Amino acid sequence: MVFAVVKSRCVITACVIIAILTLISLVCNGKQPDLGIARDLNQRSVAAPVYEIAGGNIKKVAVPFGQNSFEESPNRLQIPAKNGHGSSSKRAYPDTLSYAKAVENGKKYLGIVEKASAQEPVWTRADFEASGWTLNSNYPRTIADELIVPAQEKGISTNAADINEIAAQQFSEFTNMDCERQDDPSGGQFIQIYIPVSGTIMAVENISPQANIATYNRQNDFPQPTTQQLRKLLPAMQRWSDIVWYVWATTAKDKAGDLRYIFRDHVINNDTKGVIDQIFKVPAYTLDFKWPGKTFDVGINDGKALLGTPHGTGIAYLLADNKKTLGERSLKITCFTSDSFRKKVTDYFMLFELVRV
């Protein structure tokens, strides 16, 4: 009996020593042991190809708020302004998008919309599902208090029966941009309120697959993935404009072409807020311009600058990619604010009105 106990203890001790030596070996070789917790997204393995989209000809990529290439995305979400509250500088967010660059972006996006052909939608339900997206509509049928008056004044229904709050969630295994099967989802999520009877979408909470990966890596001090690594980590269908249009068309059905209003609820992106502050010529976090706010036509530079922000980019691509259904449209963009529950901060809102030409 004593011998059995001693033998058992020796076996346990040996197992512990082996485990410790294995852990030391992994660390010395620069590898992270899998301890059952979140791993570095750059080290994920990729399964063998089992699915192909559009013959492998995948052109679209996604970055925060629907920009169109990895290179255009600075991954600068929620970076605090260096000069803090009450800054007197004209450029309230010194490290973010400048007014001139935003205008340049806006001109480019207008050109894309104008030159777009009236083609069939690029993405299908099969693409949506293969890219690991699922829909969750388990939300209350309400809109933000700050948007009730703007909605009512625009003739938009606020009746619960007409409101559909739906989250598109990239929480499942998927086919990546290289047409390979990937087990680890990005965790990207696009939540909007869809009101087909009033031709309205309200963007509630949006973080793209790439933005979520960037945020995870930044918070865990991991290096940001290269463009080639991103092709392995990102689903083929991933842009805000593509996902939101798919859900809108599915929800609105024969009313999809009646889309008229797109609200951006509680804007927190500092590139967008910085451009708005530059237009209104106010320091960071100090804009106070309650509804009905101020409206800008995209024919003038201020309107182009707003279209050239991360929150305008997705709108431009939504118009360009769905011209067959929406027809020719011009844009009017309204900026307004509301008092926030956060001290010394006002909440920013935007309304994009899609005007038939």
Side-chain angles (χ1 to χ4, degrees):
M1 183 69 176
V2 174
F3 174 75
V5 171
V6 171
K7 180 178 180 181
S8 175
R9 288 178 178 176
C10 289
V11 170
I12 293 173
T13 302
C15 290
V16 171
I17 292 173
I18 291 171
I20 292 173
L21 290 174
T22 301
L23 182 61
I24 293 172
S25 175
L26 286 170
V27 172
C28 291
N29 286 297
K31 297 181 180 179
Q32 295 185 41
D34 190 346
L35 302 178
I37 57 177
R39 291 169 289 159
D40 182 350
L41 296 179
N42 297 321
Q43 301 299 323
R44 290 176 169 176
S45 61
V46 179
V50 296
Y51 187 91
E52 188 172 283
I53 294 179
N57 184 23
I58 300 175
K59 296 181 179 179
K60 294 190 176 182
V61 296
V63 287
F65 303 98
Q67 296 178 50
N68 199 41
S69 74
F70 300 134
E71 289 73 18
E72 289 178 17
S73 171
N75 289 324
R76 294 174 293 187
L77 296 177
Q78 303 184 49
I79 298 174
K82 285 186 176 180
N83 51 345
H85 302 299
S87 165
S88 60
S89 66
K90 180 179 179 181
R91 188 172 176 185
Y93 299 84
D95 290 337
T96 56
L97 186 63
S98 70
Y99 177 86
K101 180 60 177 176
V103 171
E104 180 184 332
N105 290 345
K107 290 179 179 178
K108 179 178 71 174
Y109 299 142
L110 278 177
I112 290 173
V113 173
E114 292 169 358
K115 295 175 183 177
S117 60
Q119 61 184 3
E120 293 290 340
V122 176
W123 301 105
T124 66
R125 177 178 177 178
D127 299 327
F128 182 85
E129 293 176 351
S131 292
W133 294 97
T134 55
L135 298 179
N136 178 6
S137 58
N138 188 26
Y139 292 90
R141 293 174 174 266
T142 59
I143 65 175
D145 292 343
E146 298 91 337
L147 296 182
I148 291 177
V149 170
Q152 291 174 340
E153 291 189 4
K154 290 293 184 180
I156 299 169
S157 174
T158 56
N159 295 327
D162 297 327
I163 295 172
N164 304 275
E165 184 165 354
I166 302 173
Q169 299 168 325
Q170 212 273 323
F171 293 171
S172 305
E173 63 178 21
F174 62 96
T175 299
N176 66 22
M177 295 178 66
D178 287 335
C179 297
E180 300 167 326
R181 204 63 182 166
Q182 170 65 274
D183 294 330
D184 295 325
S186 68
Q189 179 170 250
F190 297 127
I191 306 176
Q192 331 296 315
I193 290 173
Y194 301 90
I195 313 176
V197 297
S198 302
T200 300
I201 296 173
M202 295 179 175
V204 178
E205 181 179 336
N206 293 280
I207 182 162
S208 72
Q210 184 179 347
N212 207 42
I213 290 173
T215 299
Y216 174 86
N217 284 4
R218 185 167 57 247
Q219 290 174 345
N220 291 278
D221 294 324
F222 294 139
Q224 293 300 335
T226 64
T227 298
Q228 189 56 42
Q229 287 173 324
L230 281 171
R231 293 188 63 85
K232 305 294 185 183
L233 299 171
L234 294 175
M237 183 180 180
Q238 53 178 289
R239 294 195 309 177
W240 178 90
S241 58
D242 294 325
I243 300 300
V244 170
W245 177 260
Y246 171 81
V247 181
W248 167 253
T250 302
T251 305
K253 297 182 173 62
D254 59 346
K255 294 183 181 293
D258 296 335
L259 180 60
R260 184 177 178 184
Y261 300 111
I262 301 178
F263 284 87
R264 290 292 202 172
D265 182 357
H266 290 88
V267 174
I268 61 172
N269 180 278
N270 280 348
D271 278 339
T272 300
K273 292 174 70 174
V275 170
I276 293 173
D277 286 343
Q278 290 171 71
I279 290 172
F280 284 86
K281 297 180 173 61
V282 297
Y285 302 107
T286 64
L287 181 63
D288 186 6
F289 217 88
K290 305 295 191 298
W291 178 261
K294 187 173 182 178
T295 301
F296 304 87
D297 190 283
V298 292
I300 64 173
N301 278 348
D302 285 350
K304 291 183 179 69
L306 293 170
L307 185 64
T309 64
H311 284 75
T313 308
I315 309 293
Y317 280 102
L318 186 147
L319 289 176
D321 292 342
N322 301 285
K323 185 174 284 189
K324 182 172 183 178
T325 302
L326 294 173
E328 296 288 344
R329 301 291 187 102
S330 64
L331 281 168
K332 292 183 179 180
I333 306 172
T334 300
C335 299
F336 60 101
T337 63
S338 177
D339 292 331
S340 173
F341 59 88
R342 300 182 293 266
K343 290 184 178 181
K344 298 181 180 180
V345 180
T346 55
D347 285 328
Y348 289 44
F349 298 82
M350 302 173 78
L351 167 60
F352 293 79
E353 185 171 355
L354 286 54
V355 183
R356 293 188 184 277
V357 177

